[in-house]
Amino acid sequence: MDIAVRELSYAQAIQEAMAIAMDMDERVFLMGEDIGVYGGAFQVTGDLVERYGADRVIDTPISELGGAGVAVGAAVTGMRPIFEFQFSDFATLGMEQIVNQAAKMRFMLGGEVSVPLVMRFPAGSGTGAAAQHSQSLEAWLGHVPGLKVIQPATPHDAKGMLLAAVADPDPVMIFEHKLLYKMKGHVPEGHYTVPIGKAEIRREGRDLTIVATSIMVQKALDAAAALEGEGIDIEVVDLRTIRPIDRQTVIASVKKTSRLLCVYEAVKTLGIGAEVSAMVAESEAFDYLDAPIVRLGGAETPIPYNPDLEKATVPQVADIIAAARDLVKGVR
Amino acid sequence: MATARKAVADSRANLPFVYRHYSQEQLKQVLHKMYLIRRFEEGAEECYMRGLIHGTMHLSIGQEASAMGICMPLAEDDQITSTHRGHGHCIAKGAEVSRMFAEFFGKTTGYCKGRGGSMHIADVAKGNLGANGIVAGGIPIAVGAALSAKRMKTGKVVVSFFGDGANNEGAFHEALNMAAIWKLPVIFVCENNGYGMSTSTARSTAVKNIAERAAAYAMPGVIVNGNIFSEVAEASFKAVERARAGEGPTLIESKTYRHRGHSKSDRNRYRTKEEIEDWMANRDPITLFETELRDFGFIDDQGIQAIRDAVAKEIADGIEFAKASPAPEIATLEDYVYTEHA
């Protein structure tokens, strides 16, 4: 008999994590645009303002640069801010504080301070929000030493990685795919953490390794399930963290399967797939490869409004199935 | 004895703020530190010319009264954020010149262990959260520090130094607005030296006085002569009182002048020689303060000479300390990127 497991949505899991973090530590507080009575643009903060008050769930003016800087300043002087960018695209307005200040402050000051800052970025396409509200910019931040960048793909990890981020002494950037917010899954009660910097093998297989991030993990799993009937046995690695990247798990998997397919939503060129591919090509796994490495990423275009065009911009399950089949059958 | 003290007090009654408010010893310390800032920067410049320091530097020579005046009413655990022209702020907040020189020389004994240099000079233990290479970069950070102070009820006040160039950055406006709506204990100090690199405030800024910007954020905007120590200290004192009382932020515009160019690449094509010489000859902040101290009987020529001699020795010792200090090992290149877990 199945024991009923508690299920939460990805958004609820994040909200629960933030509540636990605030219960555990007076220094933790939330900042962002319309995260108070409005509950956040995606209802992630929900009613937290009623439970924790406007002093700990702070609505900021529409000032991404200033707001990000205030969060940096609070973090460096003893608080533990969790800052929400309403859309990850708005990070472009706060880049100065993220890249020049948060990421570098500890280094520039020779280790005299830490910046225990968490920033949350609702990201990705699929909501019809068009070019300025649908981007996947995680690789931009993944390029900056001093930051940690994570992309939880399940409700379980969304909670556990956020709690790990709050406990982390350094700035952690969390990219949350907006289409995942409604995804339901098992989420344990109480406090637990999922380590930053550790990939997870979501499905074991022998024929091909798919390294996927964020929403592409579920799509890769769907593709793997569909290919099972064809006798193709796929391993799916959920990268989870793009900085620091889990080299070991990826390389070990490729050594086992001898084939690598990288799947990510962000624009293909210069994205995380390029990094994973290069990492494997430079490693001892290179000698094990039976086929060229393949990347499936976003098209070289801004995200369009038309729903069919929008879908065509990012990899879908059918694309993954086709690419995986070709790779295993030696077509590529 | 009591009568004598009263006589002194009476004789000070008509003097400017600092002479009524601070002891003779404190004021002599101020002169000492103003000389320390001046000689530190002259020393750093000389070391740069001789190839002992690389990179670049932005000297605040001519702005010493501003740094000292603002920091005068601050307690040791009050905090500041500073700018690329931040050597004076660092010394005014209590840093040792030996460790500053060591930083400029790129040594492990420097405040940033040789990772920051002139543009990121800091002294966290004394409340200096760091100079900043990004114009207006430190302003929102100061507001965040003030938010911490308010939330943790530490009673700390935070000062954000910035230049006139920063007043046209978005970060300045966003930060002032947030500090005002949340009534945070922060003081915004615009050291207006007339030029953002080469562009004069007349060409860059729509308002005549940067202090006028304060009206847009419902906070007091105060203009002081940044070369007169007492004027700056008095404005800072009032702003600190206001901040500590929970009444919110103040914008102080300290009008001053840098004697040197913007940085070491400056060919000085945007200012006349006459203008620079006029400021140096007639409005040097150290000369002005020293003259007042002497005129008001707080110090004599011998006392002034003693300060100059002590400063000269401190500077010479500081440079020696920096030269003798070890350079970082290449193997430590990636240290301090992340917090090392124990």
Side-chain angles (χ1 to χ4, degrees):
Chain A
M1 200 180 89
D2 282 345
I3 296 167
V5 290
R6 189 181 74 131
E7 290 210 331
L8 289 182
S9 73
Y10 189 98
Q12 287 168 330
I14 294 168
Q15 186 183 117
E16 185 169 277
M18 292 193 293
I20 289 170
M22 286 198 284
D23 287 337
M24 286 177 62
D25 189 342
E26 255 314 294
R27 300 170 301 172
V28 176
F29 71 99
L30 317 181
M31 274 180 83
E33 293 162 7
D34 308 293
I35 64 166
V37 288
Y38 195 97
F42 299 97
Q43 292 303 317
V44 175
T45 44
D47 67 353
L48 288 178
V49 70
E50 286 156 36
R51 291 159 62 190
Y52 295 93
D55 282 350
R56 293 187 79 187
V57 182
I58 302 175
D59 272 330
T60 68
I62 303 174
S63 301
E64 288 83 5
L65 172 60
V70 170
V72 173
V76 92
T77 51
M79 299 293 288
R80 295 255 171 183
I82 302 176
F83 186 88
E84 176 179 303
F85 281 90
Q86 192 161 80
F87 285 80
S88 69
D89 312 69
F90 305 165
T92 54
L93 292 152
M95 276 307 229
E96 195 285 295
Q97 284 292 331
I98 300 169
V99 175
N100 293 319
Q101 313 295 342
K104 296 174 176 56
M105 203 158 174
R106 175 174 177 77
F107 183 82
M108 293 189 298
L109 269 54
E112 291 296 315
V113 296
S114 287
V115 187
L117 166 67
V118 176
M119 287 181 157
R120 297 183 34 248
F121 303 86
S125 68
T127 65
Q132 297 171 337
H133 290 72
S134 303
Q135 296 169 87
S136 298
L137 301 176
E138 61 276 358
W140 287 25
L141 298 186
H143 198 66
V144 182
L147 301 180
K148 296 180 180 178
V149 183
I150 63 177
Q151 292 184 279
T154 66
H156 175 278
D157 283 3
K159 178 176 170 184
M161 294 189 91
L162 193 142
L163 285 168
V166 172
D168 199 285
D170 297 314
V172 181
M173 311 287 115
I174 309 180
F175 283 79
E176 303 161 358
H177 200 292
K178 294 181 292 253
L179 294 185
L180 289 177
Y181 280 138
K182 291 202 167 81
M183 176 200 209
K184 289 217 162 192
H186 172 51
V187 176
E189 310 227 18
H191 182 269
Y192 67 93
T193 59
V194 171
I196 292 166
K198 192 87 194 69
E200 175 80 356
I201 297 173
R202 293 285 174 204
R203 185 187 202 279
E204 293 201 18
R206 286 174 287 109
D207 299 330
L208 164 71
T209 296
I210 297 182
V211 173
T213 56
S214 189
I215 195 166
M216 292 300 157
V217 173
Q218 189 54 50
K219 289 187 178 178
L221 288 169
D222 292 347
L227 287 168
E228 222 173 51
E230 297 179 28
I232 296 173
D233 189 14
I234 294 176
E235 178 145 307
V236 176
V237 177
D238 174 359
L239 201 56
R240 297 204 292 199
T241 301
I242 67 167
R243 174 177 282 274
I245 205 160
D246 182 354
R247 211 172 159 272
Q248 215 179 346
T249 300
V250 172
I251 289 168
S253 176
V254 175
K255 279 168 77 176
K256 185 172 82 170
T257 66
S258 303
R259 293 181 186 87
L260 172 62
L261 172 64
C262 302
V263 189
Y264 51 109
E265 173 164 329
V267 173
K268 181 176 167 183
T269 304
L270 297 166
I272 186 64
E275 184 56 39
V276 171
S277 305
M279 188 177 82
V280 167
E282 286 174 342
S283 78
E284 71 268 23
F286 178 75
D287 287 335
Y288 291 75
L289 286 173
D290 287 342
I293 297 168
V294 174
R295 288 177 290 157
L296 278 183
E300 307 295 320
T301 169
I303 303 289
Y305 166 68
N306 174 284
D308 293 329
L309 290 179
E310 184 182 24
K311 269 205 184 94
T313 309
V314 301
Q316 301 298 333
V317 176
D319 303 315
I320 303 172
I321 290 173
R325 188 188 287 127
D326 285 357
L327 248 175
V328 174
K329 299 238 164 110
V331 177
R332 307 184 75 140
Chain B
M1 190 64 192
T3 349
R5 208 175 288 149
K6 187 175 181 308
V8 171
D10 285 348
S11 69
R12 292 188 186 188
N14 293 322
L15 295 183
F17 172 79
V18 293
Y19 304 99
R20 288 179 272 123
H21 202 83
Y22 296 105
S23 71
Q24 180 178 20
E25 204 41 52
Q26 284 174 303
L27 294 174
K28 282 161 84 170
Q29 262 306 313
V30 171
L31 184 66
H32 179 104
K33 278 207 179 182
M34 281 169 71
Y35 267 115
L36 198 59
I37 296 169
R38 176 72 56 97
R39 300 285 181 257
F40 172 83
E41 293 201 304
E42 288 169 349
E45 187 176 40
E46 198 200 323
C47 292
Y48 177 87
M49 298 299 186
R50 287 167 56 201
L52 296 168
I53 294 175
H54 81 155
T56 190
M57 62 180 70
H58 307 85
L59 301 173
S60 69
I61 292 174
Q63 304 184 183
E64 295 87 348
S66 187
M68 281 307 300
I70 293 296
C71 290
M72 195 66 192
L74 297 182
E76 186 166 305
D77 65 350
D78 288 330
Q79 291 166 319
I80 66 167
T81 62
S82 171
T83 72
H84 58 287
R85 206 171 304 287
H87 311 153
H89 310 144
C90 198
I91 293 171
K93 195 66 182 69
E96 292 167 24
V97 292
S98 55
R99 293 194 60 198
M100 289 177 69
F101 274 124
E103 185 57 36
F104 288 24
F105 278 64
K107 301 297 183 71
T108 58
T109 52
Y111 276 110
C112 311
K113 303 190 180 70
R115 269 69 174 180
S118 158
M119 217 162 356
H120 304 298
I121 196 74
D123 180 4
V124 179
K126 288 280 163 67
N128 181 357
L129 299 175
N132 211 305
I134 305 297
V135 170
I139 309 178
I141 293 174
V143 175
L147 182 69
S148 286
K150 186 173 180 175
R151 275 209 48 82
M152 300 197 290
K153 300 185 171 62
T154 58
K156 286 182 193 176
V157 163
V158 186
V159 167
S160 181
F161 286 102
F162 51 91
D164 45 283
N167 103 96
N168 295 315
E169 287 277 13
F172 164 85
H173 295 272
E174 294 184 21
L176 263 69
N177 182 56
M178 280 184 275
I181 59 176
W182 297 329
K183 278 199 184 309
L184 296 178
V186 56
I187 299 158
F188 301 103
V189 178
C190 178
E191 295 184 314
N192 181 353
N193 61 24
Y195 299 87
M197 207 155 158
S198 70
T199 309
S200 68
T201 50
R203 290 168 61 213
S204 69
T205 303
V207 288
K208 188 161 181 291
N209 301 297
I210 289 160
E212 292 167 31
R213 301 279 201 207
Y217 304 107
M219 70 177 78
V222 184
I223 299 171
V224 294
N225 182 333
N227 285 18
I228 298 178
F229 170 70
S230 185
E231 262 197 47
V232 183
E234 184 170 11
S236 183
F237 184 86
K238 286 179 184 161
V240 168
E241 275 196 322
R242 179 180 148 80
R244 276 206 226 284
E247 290 164 23
T250 302
L251 170 61
I252 297 173
E253 178 181 4
S254 175
K255 288 186 189 286
T256 181
Y257 197 81
R258 59 171 153 79
H259 293 177
R260 296 295 199 270
H262 162 73
S263 70
K264 305 317 291 180
S265 68
D266 193 333
R267 293 180 303 164
N268 198 28
R269 297 229 169 148
Y270 53 91
R271 310 191 293 189
T272 63
K273 208 170 153 228
E274 292 71 31
E275 177 184 297
I276 300 168
E277 278 170 0
D278 176 46
W279 279 88
M280 289 175 70
N282 301 316
R283 276 165 281 177
D284 184 300
I286 299 181
T287 309
L288 293 177
F289 183 54
E290 189 177 275
T291 306
E292 273 186 358
L293 278 177
R294 198 197 288 111
D295 289 353
F296 298 153
F298 283 75
I299 200 165
D300 55 18
D301 286 344
Q302 209 180 348
I304 291 167
Q305 196 52 49
I307 285 173
R308 290 176 183 171
D309 292 345
V311 166
K313 183 172 181 330
E314 223 172 310
I315 296 300
D317 290 350
I319 292 172
E320 282 316 305
F321 171 81
K323 280 183 182 166
S325 289
E329 302 282 344
I330 299 296
T332 66
L333 175 65
E334 291 180 12
D335 285 3
Y336 317 122
V337 178
Y338 295 99
T339 304
E340 300 73 17
H341 292 278

